[in-house]
Amino acid sequence: MRPTAVPALLVFALIFSSACADAGSDRVPVPPAAPAVEAPRTAVALDEMQACAECHPSVVAAFGEHGMARSIGPVGTPEPGVGVNPRSGNRYEIVVDAQGAWLKGTTPGGGTRYQRLVGRVGAGLFDTSWIGEEIDPFTSEATGRLFFTPVETIAGHGLELSPFELHPNSAGLDLGFNEGCMTCHTEADPARLPRAATAPDGRTVYPSNLLGADAFDHLAPLSCRTCHGDARAHVDMMTGLPDARDEGLGLPALGRLPPGAQRDVCARCHLQGDARFELTPGFSRTETPLAGQIPVLVPVHADDDFRFVGQLERLALSACFRAAPAMTCTTCHDAHTGVAAQGTESFDAACMACHEVAPQHTSLTVRQVTGEAARTRHGCVDCHVRRSQPFDLLHVRTADHFIRRRIPRPATSAAHRQFADPDGPVQVFDDGRLAEPLGTPPGQRWADGVVAMGLVSMGRLQEAARRFDAFPPPGTEQARQATAPPGLTPLETHPSFHHMRGLALMVAGRPEEAMGAFSDALTLDPYYAGARLERAKLRVLTNDLQGALKDTDELLAAHPKDEKAWNIRSTLALRIGSVEMAASALEVSTRLWASDAKAWKQLGLLYQELGRAQEAQQALERAQALEPALRP
């Protein structure tokens, strides 16, 4: 195509987008004094558990008191309070009134945003994370986009800064609540939420947190199905329905599964690590171990600190575990009963079921070992299962599952950090079942690829790029061919692998290869919005305007509520010298997402250039209302 054809095509597309942008753009709303707040909603009924209760009433009743049965739900009534980030100076206030609960976020300069609280994550036994729906700051309209609030409620401490708000580069009010956050708290599919921004493929939601304010009407907490799978066949069999399938009990009998498979059921949510990647759409109960489907990275050199959700990671360090291949989580835990209800005595009994311990096997007392009084007559878990402060969730104490003969004194406080070993080596977690495939050259390359992905998520992109180089060149058919041995889910056929590779290559200063990696991701999944956005940005930087236009066309066709594509369109328009079209694109962007102070500032500057003084003043005022530091 001749060079002159690119601007012509671009102009035609932007004229069309300008016409769309102008529709309704004369509405100038007045900023509200405070957002309207709807009453909290009721969680959906757990029909499955009710069916199970007909035959297993005591089990279901016990589980109803378990924290897992309250893993997610409606907002209820949060405790009011204020949290201030000492690093940024941002102030977050939860207010509860007759209308409900909402969050007010204020920057040091007075910039303000509101979020209506619509749900919670967590049972409240340790802490509760609050989910807020962003309120359009200039129309008071609900946006349908859900975010974790930067403050949460710690049991016994009240409102505290959320762990992510303590990170050096905190997302603040912009940490979206999406599918990745739901995995361990609900079985619900976000793509099936009635107001989710679902793409034409029926399975992708983008923007990923555009789930609708009514999402928590449809997000059921964990239930029998979470561990036992679909029980319909079991119910059909036990009720004698004619189409019942003859498959034993019609559902997995967990106690009859091999020990590793039993651990996998729990590890699905109790093994977090410094990074984890779901390479399969949900945990598949197959011969492949969980660690081969959802690999988790843990530090090579473990220390005395532990993370809040790292039970299996720490248990695998224990001599008990290494000496007893049949050990599972249910060796000590009753899965249907919460830890507090089960009682410390029961855990001591589990210890003594395997260990013949003399009544006075040591001259030390529990207080001498732990600094606290014994909770049981034998004190097994008091002395050998340390209850301390996790490094990633402050103000709580929980059990370190690293069982040791001699433990260090329990920590009463720990400096917060995001990763167990931010700069040290990491490895794929393995409870021993991946040893054979990982011992092969293809298995080792698979592990290197997982580590490379983890290094990207940890911000160590230069290291990641070097590890990705062990794979075929990006943008080639070979780069997308699976090479993993049996027992490991292939990386090369998963778009996230190529997306992360592209990000690492961009930071490494290798744009052409990054382009190829993003293209690999899109070949595997055309609706993978992250890779298409990055490729569009990269095409703008390399002056491939037609390619960037095509990518934004694809984005808007698949994800029409995405403002980021319009921001790229604005940059494209400026590249061809059309300020009017650039402004029109930002008008659409700010209507889709009105809380972007930078977009309002850019729009105001474009209006100034166009001589539209009144509109420029309003846009710049809105930018400063959100972030006063953004002065023209």
Side-chain angles (χ1 to χ4, degrees):
M1 184 175 288
R2 294 174 298 171
T4 55
V6 174
L9 178 63
L10 184 62
V11 168
F12 175 81
L14 286 172
I15 288 174
F16 177 76
S17 71
S18 177
C20 295
D22 286 341
S25 62
D26 57 343
R27 183 162 60 110
V28 182
V30 178
V37 181
E38 295 180 3
R41 299 174 171 85
T42 303
V44 295
L46 296 179
D47 295 332
E48 265 187 23
M49 287 184 63
Q50 292 173 0
C52 296
E54 293 181 13
C55 296
H56 307 281
S58 61
V59 171
V60 172
F63 185 78
E65 299 300 316
H66 200 297
M68 289 193 294
R70 304 191 302 278
S71 58
I72 201 167
V75 65
T77 306
E79 181 180 353
V82 175
V84 178
N85 186 327
R87 181 183 290 108
S88 66
N90 289 345
R91 183 179 188 274
Y92 307 106
E93 180 180 11
I94 286 183
V95 176
V96 179
D97 56 26
Q99 293 180 299
W102 46 280
L103 176 81
K104 178 182 180 182
T106 311
T107 64
T112 304
R113 284 167 60 181
Y114 293 99
Q115 291 178 357
R116 176 182 54 179
L117 301 192
V118 295
R120 61 161 176 82
V121 175
L125 299 178
F126 290 97
D127 75 316
T128 305
S129 299
W130 304 109
I131 308 301
E133 178 197 24
E134 184 85 1
I135 301 298
D136 186 310
F138 307 111
T139 67
S140 201
E141 295 174 355
T143 66
R145 300 199 192 194
L146 306 185
F147 297 88
F148 280 98
T149 63
V151 286
E152 58 188 42
T153 300
I154 306 294
H157 286 266
L159 207 66
E160 299 282 350
L161 293 177
S162 301
F164 73 86
E165 183 65 11
L166 300 174
H167 300 166
N169 299 309
S170 168
L173 292 167
D174 294 314
L175 182 64
F177 174 73
N178 52 39
E179 180 178 13
C181 314
M182 298 182 197
T183 302
C184 292
H185 293 271
T186 180
E187 293 281 313
D189 180 359
R192 296 184 179 276
L193 294 173
R195 297 189 185 182
T198 307
D201 66 348
R203 59 184 176 82
T204 304
V205 177
Y206 193 81
S208 61
N209 66 329
L210 211 172
L211 302 172
D214 65 340
F216 285 84
D217 287 350
H218 311 278
L219 296 176
L222 304 180
S223 66
C224 307
R225 157 190 199 103
T226 305
C227 297
H228 294 285
D230 191 346
R232 283 177 297 183
H234 175 69
V235 172
D236 288 350
M237 174 171 288
M238 304 317 293
T239 54
L241 293 181
D243 61 345
R245 293 170 290 172
D246 185 14
E247 297 181 4
L249 291 175
L251 80 169
L254 299 184
R256 299 179 185 178
L257 294 176
Q262 292 185 48
R263 292 193 298 269
D264 281 351
V265 173
C266 301
R268 180 69 176 83
C269 294
H270 291 274
L271 177 63
Q272 180 181 355
D274 279 345
R276 59 178 278 159
F277 305 101
E278 302 214 7
L279 302 178
T280 58
F283 171 40
S284 175
R285 301 169 192 267
T286 66
E287 296 296 323
T288 301
L290 179 76
Q293 301 179 57
I294 306 176
V296 172
L297 293 180
V298 297
V300 172
H301 307 298
D303 60 20
D304 286 332
D305 285 345
F306 64 100
R307 68 173 64 251
F308 182 68
V309 185
Q311 287 80 12
L312 187 59
E313 172 191 342
R314 299 293 285 182
L315 179 64
L317 299 171
S318 308
C320 286
F321 181 87
R322 297 195 302 271
M327 188 175 191
T328 71
C329 304
T330 55
T331 301
C332 301
H333 289 274
D334 177 354
H336 297 125
T337 306
V339 171
Q342 186 176 338
T344 309
E345 289 280 2
S346 71
F347 298 115
D348 277 5
C351 295
M352 289 184 286
C354 296
H355 298 279
E356 294 182 3
V357 181
Q360 295 296 328
H361 68 287
T362 176
S363 60
L364 296 173
T365 66
V366 169
R367 185 173 292 281
Q368 287 173 316
V369 174
T370 69
E372 298 178 356
R375 293 178 293 164
T376 65
R377 180 167 57 91
H378 294 286
C380 300
V381 295
D382 280 327
C383 287
H384 301 287
V385 183
R386 185 176 64 154
R387 296 174 68 245
S388 293
Q389 162 74 65
F391 66 77
D392 61 338
L393 182 60
L394 304 186
H395 310 297
V396 305
R397 292 184 68 197
T398 188
D400 178 1
H401 281 61
F402 184 0
I403 305 167
R404 287 170 277 184
R405 178 173 293 181
R406 295 181 178 86
I407 62 172
R409 272 292 182 98
T412 56
S413 63
H416 178 272
R417 65 182 189 273
Q418 185 174 1
F419 304 110
D421 194 351
D423 303 309
V426 291
Q427 62 186 349
V428 175
F429 172 82
D430 177 30
D431 63 0
R433 290 178 292 153
L434 297 186
E436 183 176 343
L438 289 179
T440 66
Q444 186 54 58
R445 186 167 71 168
W446 179 89
D448 284 342
V450 174
V451 169
M453 295 171 70
L455 292 173
V456 171
S457 66
M458 296 173 72
R460 296 158 60 177
L461 285 85
Q462 293 282 3
E463 293 177 65
R466 291 192 291 270
R467 287 184 178 261
F468 280 122
D469 285 342
F471 292 81
T476 65
E477 186 176 350
Q478 291 77 14
R480 301 185 297 276
Q481 291 180 348
T483 62
L488 303 175
T489 302
L491 300 177
E492 300 94 335
T493 55
H494 201 283
S496 67
F497 172 80
H498 301 283
H499 179 212
M500 289 189 164
R501 188 181 192 182
L503 295 175
L505 290 169
M506 284 181 65
V507 171
R510 297 156 63 180
E512 291 184 5
E513 293 170 275
M515 190 86 71
F518 295 137
S519 297
D520 288 333
L522 292 168
T523 298
L524 294 168
D525 182 359
Y527 293 103
Y528 201 95
R532 195 169 294 282
L533 270 171
E534 295 299 334
R535 192 173 73 174
K537 293 176 188 176
L538 195 53
R539 281 176 160 171
V540 171
L541 292 174
T542 57
N543 214 35
D544 178 9
L545 304 187
Q546 183 181 15
L549 177 63
K550 182 178 179 182
D551 273 338
T552 51
D553 273 340
E554 294 286 346
L555 276 168
L556 294 172
H559 313 289
K561 297 182 179 180
D562 170 38
E563 76 283 356
K564 298 182 184 67
W566 290 104
N567 294 337
I568 297 173
R569 280 284 176 96
S570 180
T571 303
L572 285 172
L574 291 177
R575 284 294 182 95
I576 64 167
S578 177
V579 177
E580 183 72 47
M581 292 177 185
S584 295
L586 284 180
E587 287 171 354
V588 180
S589 172
T590 52
R591 281 208 301 276
L592 290 171
W593 181 239
S595 296
D596 186 344
K598 292 181 180 178
W600 281 114
K601 177 182 177 181
Q602 178 66 16
L603 180 58
L605 296 176
L606 293 176
Y607 281 153
Q608 285 182 343
E609 195 170 343
L610 291 168
R612 296 158 66 176
Q614 185 175 354
E615 292 166 290
Q617 181 180 352
Q618 184 191 58
L620 293 174
E621 286 176 352
R622 290 184 172 185
Q624 287 195 279
L626 292 165
E627 182 49 73
L630 288 179
R631 300 186 182 279

